[in-house]
Amino acid sequence: MKNNLSIVLLLGIALSTTSCATIFTGTRDKITFNSTPEGAKVIHNGEEKCVTPCTAPISRSLSKQFVTIEKEGFDAQKVKLDKSFNAVTLLNILFGGAIGVGIDAATGSLTKYSTKKYDIELEAKPQ
């Protein structure tokens, strides 16, 4: 009986301290970027992620997120990444995991990127 109580207690602690969205959906989303013309750099938080056409893992965040698409001879374009609520977070609420919700918030996993593909048209700089 004492053993069963310990198992139930440990299971309860484990469920209440998990961060469901972080564990089940990760902290990044793979997003595809295409540009016309091709060969543009995709920059997120000051770090070059890839060169178009490409798919890059972009870290989630609760704050607004932007990528900059730039290519020599063309005007750089700043693109806001679309986000939505990550429904997996509801598992934390259902199981009483306030700590888990906090972890999901800290890792940005309360949200996910809703648009997974961006097509950007770059304009040539005037000469």
Side-chain angles (χ1 to χ4, degrees):
M1 183 69 165
K2 185 177 181 183
N3 219 4
N4 288 341
L5 183 59
S6 296
I7 290 171
V8 170
L9 183 61
L10 286 174
L11 185 61
I13 291 170
L15 284 174
S16 69
T17 60
T18 58
S19 50
C20 291
T22 300
I23 291 170
F24 292 127
T25 63
T27 59
R28 303 177 202 199
D29 286 316
K30 288 185 179 181
I31 302 177
T32 299
F33 300 95
N34 295 306
S35 68
T36 304
E38 294 181 346
K41 295 178 189 175
V42 177
I43 300 167
H44 178 248
N45 291 336
E47 178 185 340
E48 183 179 328
K49 293 295 187 174
C50 59
V51 175
T52 63
C54 61
T55 300
I58 305 293
S59 298
R60 295 178 187 158
S61 174
L62 293 180
S63 63
K64 292 178 185 174
Q65 293 296 298
F66 296 88
V67 293
T68 302
I69 312 296
E70 58 184 41
K71 182 177 173 98
E72 192 171 320
F74 293 84
D75 290 328
Q77 288 227 11
K78 191 173 185 179
V79 178
K80 181 181 178 222
L81 301 178
D82 299 324
K83 296 188 298 182
S84 61
F85 177 71
N86 189 354
V88 177
T89 300
L90 294 175
L91 292 174
N92 280 331
I93 296 167
L94 291 174
F95 292 112
I99 295 171
V101 172
I103 292 170
D104 286 345
T107 62
S109 290
L110 286 175
T111 62
K112 62 183 179 179
Y113 293 111
S114 51
T115 302
K116 303 289 190 202
K117 182 179 178 189
Y118 291 87
D119 296 306
I120 297 97
E121 193 129 348
L122 297 174
E123 295 182 24
K125 287 184 179 178
Q127 295 194 12

